[in-house]
């Protein structure tokens, strides 16, 4: 049994935060942000709405498009680093809001590689024959964990969600082909939110020291991201007897345009083989890859049979690549 993506969708909030807006908030410039990251604007969700709001909207879009009832879902996996609450899971709130009466679900914490991890996980349940319809969602409300006085982080991230529906393949010859995933926890302090968990429970001190905001050593993450995504994608191609010429699209995690360009160069891919939308949304963490895939699908860029590689790198360090053959007409 093979698992195939049969539906794809996304949701982004309406409110835009532009580089010009950020110039008013921290010591930065449109020129610096554009040349160092490629980002022009990002989307910000309303304060009173949580991550699950975006996840539900992205999933609903697919259910409507496919005329599938939420009751038919067997499993909901939410890749997120910004859950609505620690207890219960964001998946529980999404299940409730979708009114998906016959499923189970869980959150998966894989940082910026969360969606790739989640897609690999969902695939196992379809390939085993256990489940027929698995909704895999990448959603993050990064704005809830950003210090808008820290120019190192607040210019990079944005909010959004993307989702795919996984089902068994009817023909058996298309779908999620292979993946290689990694985790190296020795890098954890280079990109993390120190407090709020059991390591640093919330206290006046953690709030005063701004320990609930995301902290990043950008240069170190940058170096590892380029090497990590290029190496693992190259190994995945070799393992499947494919070359750069066989790949229709690389859909990379959108963290920095310079990282994406460096990865594409190492893999010897032409610009038209790489899907990029970082200019419009910034880094939406677990959402970047399904959001880029959904936009490319809406533009009718893919044809059934196309080889596509998804690749991500982020907090953990967690990284990996997934190879798939496109199925949707
Ligand atoms: O998605 C998860 C994985 N995350 C990533 O992949 C992010 C990886 N890292 C990056 O994308 C980049 O490292 C950043 C965009 C975060 C930073 O770019 P950089 O080219 O690595 O800059 P830097 O941190 O080396 O800083 C260069 C200079 C510094 O000034 P000095 O020390 O050279 O005088 C910074 O203080 O730029 C300064 N700087 C800024 N200037 C204007 C840092 N942030 C800003 C800013 N505006 N927002």
């Amino acid at each position: 049994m093979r698992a195939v993506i049969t539906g794809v969708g996304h949701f982004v909030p309406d409110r835009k935060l532009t580089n010009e807006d950020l110039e008013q908030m921290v010591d930065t410039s449109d020129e610096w942000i554009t040349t160092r990251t490629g980002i022009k604007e990002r989307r910000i969700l309303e304060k009173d709405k949580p991550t699950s709001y975006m996840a539900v909207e992205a999933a609903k879009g697919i259910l409507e498009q496919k005329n599938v009832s939420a009751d038919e879902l067997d499993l909901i996996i939410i890749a997120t680093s910004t859950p609505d609450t620690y207890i219960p899971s964001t998946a529980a709130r999404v299940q409730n809001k979708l009114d998906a009466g016959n499923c189970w679900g869980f959150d998966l914490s894989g940082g910026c590689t969360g969606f790739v991890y989640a897609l690999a996980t969902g695939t196992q349940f379809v390939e085993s024959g256990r489940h027929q319809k698995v909704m895999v969602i990448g959603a993050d409300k990064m704005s809830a964990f950003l210090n808008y006085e820290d120019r190192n982080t607040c210019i990079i991230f944005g909010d959004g969600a993307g989702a795919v529906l996984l089902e068994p393949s009817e023909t058996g010859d298309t779908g999620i082909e292979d993946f290689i995933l990694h985790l190296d926890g020795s890098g954890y302090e280079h990109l993390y939110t120190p407090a709020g968990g059991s390591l640093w429970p919330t206290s006046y001190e953690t709030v005063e020291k701004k320990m609930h905001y995301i902290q990043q050593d950008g240069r170190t993450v940058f170096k590892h991201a380029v090497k990590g995504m290029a190496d693992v994608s190259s190994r995945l191609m070799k393992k499947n007897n494919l070359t750069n010429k066989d790949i229709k699209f690389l859909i990379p995690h959108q963290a920095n345009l310079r990282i994406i360009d460096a990865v594409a160069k190492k893999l010897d891919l032409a610009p038209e083989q790489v899907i990029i939308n970082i200019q419009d949304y910034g880094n939406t963490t677990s959402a970047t890859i399904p959001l880029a895939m959904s936009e490319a699908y809406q533009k009718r860029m893919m044809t059934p049979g196309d080889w596509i590689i998804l690749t991500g790198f982020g907090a953990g360090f967690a990284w990996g690549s997934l190879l798939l053959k496109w199925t949707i007409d």
Side-chain angles (χ1 to χ4, degrees):
M1 186 87 69
R2 305 296 304 280
V4 293
I5 292 176
T6 58
V8 54
H10 70 272
F11 172 84
V12 288
D14 290 334
R15 192 186 145 209
K16 293 178 180 175
L17 181 68
T18 65
N19 291 351
E20 289 72 23
D21 295 332
L22 284 162
E23 283 175 351
Q24 310 303 313
M25 298 160 71
V26 287
D27 180 15
T28 193
S29 64
D30 172 45
E31 199 265 331
W32 192 96
I33 301 173
T34 307
T35 54
R36 295 291 182 121
T37 71
I39 303 166
K40 295 302 281 184
E41 58 189 37
R42 1 41 224 117
R43 300 299 179 93
I44 305 294
L45 188 64
E46 289 94 328
K47 273 222 157 67
D48 61 350
K49 288 184 176 146
T51 296
S52 63
Y53 177 84
M54 299 186 290
V56 166
E57 292 302 310
K60 261 200 219 156
I62 298 180
L63 296 176
E64 278 161 23
Q65 205 186 95
K66 300 266 312 161
N67 203 16
V68 166
S69 147
D71 273 344
E72 295 177 54
L73 295 179
D74 299 305
L75 169 61
I76 299 172
I77 308 177
I78 316 257
T80 187
S81 296
T82 55
D84 289 17
T85 53
Y86 281 111
I87 303 171
S89 67
T90 305
R93 291 171 54 86
V94 171
Q95 177 279 329
N96 187 38
K97 287 184 202 165
L98 284 177
D99 203 12
N102 296 306
C103 73
W104 67 294
F106 59 91
D107 292 2
L108 189 154
S109 167
C112 295
T113 311
F115 182 77
V116 182
Y117 273 25
L119 195 50
T121 305
T123 295
Q124 306 311 303
F125 287 98
V126 176
E127 285 187 348
S128 68
R130 176 83 54 189
H131 290 325
Q132 306 294 307
K133 286 187 170 47
V134 177
M135 185 67 79
V136 180
I137 307 173
D140 270 301
K141 184 183 182 184
M142 301 307 292
S143 61
F145 295 87
L146 286 173
N147 176 0
Y148 283 96
E149 291 176 352
D150 175 11
R151 68 179 185 175
N152 286 307
T153 51
C154 75
I155 57 122
I156 300 168
F157 295 98
D159 304 337
V164 300
L165 182 65
L166 277 179
E167 294 186 84
S169 163
E170 281 169 13
T171 57
D173 69 346
T174 53
I176 311 300
E177 188 72 16
D178 200 5
F179 49 81
I180 303 177
L181 304 172
H182 291 287
L183 184 64
D184 176 3
S186 66
Y188 93 96
E189 276 183 332
H190 296 302
L191 175 49
Y192 77 142
T193 307
S198 56
L199 177 65
W200 283 97
T202 307
S203 66
Y204 285 114
E205 188 196 355
T206 60
V207 173
E208 264 167 24
K209 289 186 173 164
K210 303 186 192 302
M211 291 169 69
H212 297 269
Y213 292 127
I214 289 158
Q215 300 179 7
Q216 172 171 240
D217 167 8
R219 271 184 218 187
T220 304
V221 180
F222 190 113
K223 262 195 322 217
H224 284 86
V226 173
K227 186 173 177 338
M229 286 192 282
D231 280 359
V232 73
S233 301
S234 164
R235 279 190 286 124
L236 189 60
M237 281 194 274
K238 272 202 195 97
K239 190 175 161 216
N240 288 277
N241 298 315
L242 297 171
T243 72
N244 54 343
K245 304 268 182 295
D246 300 311
I247 303 302
K248 180 69 185 281
F249 292 121
L250 177 77
I251 307 184
H253 170 52
Q254 316 274 314
N256 187 315
L257 184 59
R258 290 186 297 137
I259 294 178
I260 297 172
D261 287 346
V263 170
K265 197 169 163 209
K266 274 179 176 274
L267 295 173
D268 203 10
L269 294 172
E272 59 274 15
Q273 287 174 286
V274 186
I275 305 285
I276 296 172
N277 66 358
I278 191 172
Q279 66 284 350
D280 298 329
Y281 306 115
N283 181 349
T284 54
T285 303
S286 300
T288 63
I289 293 174
L291 177 50
M293 188 196 288
S294 177
E295 282 202 334
Y297 169 64
Q298 282 181 350
K299 290 180 193 158
R300 300 263 163 243
M301 291 168 76
M302 289 89 120
T303 328
D306 285 346
W307 283 116
I308 293 175
I309 290 182
L310 315 180
T311 189
F313 185 96
F317 295 136
W319 73 104
S321 291
L322 183 146
L323 174 71
L324 64 93
K325 207 182 245 186
W326 192 253
T327 327
I328 319 170
D329 211 351

